[in-house]
């Protein structure tokens, strides 16, 4: 009976971590594809230029693959060192996630202030050589969210040293429309628009966070159960 339960737990653990590993491979593949085809896609920060969507996906995919591989091999071989390594890594990531959420809520005002200042500094790099990722990211954000600038469309006046904005700020896109009447531009601040979008999708974000936490907790429980019972 005990042996049958152990065998079922082992197969379940192997299957769980195999899916985990395949998911990591998929995320890593998307990150590599974005890096090769789009450069530093979705890079908005001037102080953290490496913090792009491609690099984040590559980092997350690699971590998931390593953890999934440890859990899968550890469960298949009933290896106590590998199971313990899997448990420690997953527990460390779980605590780091909780700590990050707590720090975000405690220092939310300071984070808002720093993020807006950094984004405004990044506007100065818009359209410059070697900053294709930042330029594309701002064009996509302003077009999709129907906004202009970080806190106001006048943020762009300091960039151009003139009363003009990028063409992606226009209500109806056309070449050099950013030179026309301000009445043809979006005036809503992008920072607030993105925050509002996150608030509107807060339930979906919390559901995703809870599902992620539940998956990690199950992984911790299964791995420690196998670690205690493995010979």
């Amino acid at each position: 009976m005990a042996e049958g339960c152990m065998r079922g737990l082992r197969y379940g653990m192997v299957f769980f971590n195999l899916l985990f590993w395949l998911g990591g491979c998929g995320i890593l593949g998307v990150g590599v594809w974005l890096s090769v085809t789009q450069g530093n896609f979705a890079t908005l920060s001037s102080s953290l230029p490496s913090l792009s969507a491609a690099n984040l996906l590559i980092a997350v995919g690699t971590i998931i693959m390593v953890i999934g591989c440890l859990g899968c091999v550890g469960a298949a071989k009933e290896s106590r060192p590998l199971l313990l390594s899997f448990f420690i890594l997953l527990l460390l990531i779980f605590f780091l996630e909780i700590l990050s959420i707590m720090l975000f809520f405690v220092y939310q005002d300071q984070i808002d202030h720093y993020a807006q200042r950094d984004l405004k500094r990044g506007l100065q790099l818009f359209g410059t050589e070697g900053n294709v990722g930042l330029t594309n990211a701002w064009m996509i954000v302003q077009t999709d969210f129907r906004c202009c600038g970080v806190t106001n469309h006048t943020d762009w006046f300091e960039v151009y040293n003139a009363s003009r904005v990028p063409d992606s700020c226009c209500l109806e896109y056309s070449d050099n429309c950013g030179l026309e009447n301000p009445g043809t531009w979006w005036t809503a601040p992008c920072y607030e628009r993105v925050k509002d979008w996150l608030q509107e999708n807060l339930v979906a974000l919390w559901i995703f966070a809870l599902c992620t936490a539940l998956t990690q907790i199950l992984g911790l429980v299964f791995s420690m159960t196998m670690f205690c019972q493995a010979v």
Side-chain angles (χ1 to χ4, degrees):
M1 181 70 177
E3 185 178 349
C5 291
M6 187 63 180
R7 187 182 299 111
L9 181 63
R10 182 173 70 249
Y11 291 153
M13 184 79 174
V14 170
F15 181 73
F16 172 83
N17 282 283
L18 182 60
L19 292 179
F20 207 60
W21 183 80
L22 289 174
C25 289
I27 294 173
L28 178 62
V30 173
V32 172
W33 175 78
L34 278 177
S35 180
V36 172
T37 60
Q38 303 294 329
N40 291 326
F41 177 77
T43 302
L44 293 174
S45 174
S46 59
S47 60
L48 296 172
S50 60
L51 190 63
S52 65
N55 290 342
L56 284 174
L57 289 174
I58 290 173
V60 171
T62 301
I63 292 172
I64 291 176
M65 283 180 61
V66 171
I67 294 176
C69 185
L70 281 175
C72 190
V73 176
K77 294 182 174 296
E78 296 186 20
S79 170
R80 290 170 62 90
L82 291 179
L83 289 171
L84 183 60
S85 300
F86 172 83
F87 178 85
I88 292 173
L89 284 175
L90 199 57
L91 184 64
L92 179 62
I93 291 174
F94 185 70
F95 281 143
L96 287 175
E97 290 171 348
I98 294 176
L99 180 62
S100 299
I101 293 173
M102 292 174 61
L103 290 175
F104 173 79
F105 284 110
V106 171
Y107 296 102
Q108 188 169 2
D109 292 338
Q110 292 90 325
I111 292 173
D112 277 343
H113 176 73
Y114 174 80
Q116 291 181 45
R117 185 182 62 184
D118 188 57
L119 289 171
K120 285 184 179 180
R121 192 183 301 122
L123 294 183
Q124 302 293 332
L125 303 176
F126 183 87
T128 58
E129 186 177 355
N131 291 289
V132 178
L134 184 143
T135 302
N136 290 340
W138 269 114
M139 291 177 65
I140 292 171
V141 168
Q142 291 183 144
T143 301
D144 291 351
F145 287 93
R146 300 181 176 183
C147 59
C148 190
V150 180
T151 57
N152 195 294
H153 68 283
T154 58
D155 293 337
W156 289 108
F157 294 177
E158 299 178 11
V159 178
Y160 291 107
N161 292 319
S163 298
R164 68 164 296 182
V165 296
D167 294 341
S168 56
C169 282
C170 298
L171 279 69
E172 295 185 7
Y173 180 86
S174 63
D175 291 337
N176 297 320
C177 61
L179 292 169
E180 298 176 2
N181 192 309
T184 63
W185 306 337
W186 303 114
T187 56
C190 289
Y191 192 82
E192 293 301 323
R193 274 293 177 91
V194 173
K195 284 187 66 176
D196 291 341
W197 179 82
L198 290 174
Q199 289 289 339
E200 292 171 1
N201 294 274
L202 197 60
V203 174
L205 291 173
W206 276 115
I207 291 175
F208 175 77
L210 289 174
C211 290
T212 302
L214 180 60
T215 302
Q216 291 173 329
I217 291 172
L218 288 174
L220 291 170
V221 172
F222 290 157
S223 60
M224 185 49 62
T225 302
M226 284 202 67
F227 175 81
C228 293
Q229 295 184 3
V231 178

